[in-house]
Amino acid sequence: QVQLVESGGGLVQAGGSLRLSCVASEPIFSNFGMGWLRQTPGKEREIVAHITWNGGTITYADSVKDRFTISRDNAKNTVYLQMNSLKSEDTAVYYCAQYRAAYSNYVPRDQSEYHYWGQGTQVTVSS
């Protein structure tokens, strides 16, 4: 079973930056699309960004476009989320997740389409 471990969360002032990392336990990571999702109390997890297995397709939620950047380093079994110009509304628990099918260029539309999840890392943006 794949294990995903996030890191890089913390407290930052509005306008600041953070970089989240997610390391996968298995090299097979490189065969799967990866997403970053976030959740606030009382709300469902929303997809923030997704990158396909080969990096050929990258998508972002409208709320983070031009501020967040997702990338992956398959040699390190790691996916990143660079977050710039952070706003108070970005405060959430951030999760990385692996899409359920290998070698797919499909972009998930719902959290249920992801198969493996990390434990989450808290990001708090103070205004």
Side-chain angles (χ1 to χ4, degrees):
Q1 182 169 341
V2 174
Q3 293 186 337
L4 303 173
V5 180
E6 301 103 334
S7 61
L11 174 64
V12 64
Q13 289 188 332
S17 298
L18 283 174
R19 187 174 83 154
L20 306 183
S21 299
C22 170
V23 180
S25 60
E26 301 291 335
I28 200 172
F29 158 89
S30 63
N31 300 339
F32 292 84
M34 297 294 296
W36 282 99
L37 298 88
R38 66 186 181 188
Q39 186 173 27
T40 55
K43 294 187 178 181
E44 290 195 355
R45 292 178 188 176
E46 64 166 337
I47 301 171
V48 174
H50 181 86
I51 183 168
T52 52
W53 68 282
N54 59 0
T57 300
I58 292 174
T59 59
Y60 298 96
D62 287 342
S63 58
V64 306
K65 277 181 182 177
D66 300 324
R67 298 189 299 121
F68 290 12
T69 302
I70 188 172
S71 61
R72 65 189 300 158
D73 185 339
N74 287 341
K76 296 182 178 179
N77 295 348
T78 303
V79 62
Y80 303 97
L81 186 68
Q82 177 67 43
M83 305 186 295
N84 298 329
S85 302
L86 283 161
K87 305 175 181 180
S88 57
E89 50 263 44
D90 295 318
T91 295
V93 178
Y94 283 73
Y95 299 88
C96 69
Q98 181 176 294
Y99 180 60
R100 60 193 178 194
Y103 305 115
S104 173
N105 292 317
Y106 174 77
V107 177
R109 299 179 181 182
D110 185 80
Q111 59 164 329
S112 64
E113 298 181 86
Y114 290 95
H115 190 38
Y116 291 110
W117 294 81
Q119 82 287 352
T121 185
Q122 176 71 46
V123 171
T124 303
V125 184
S126 63
S127 56

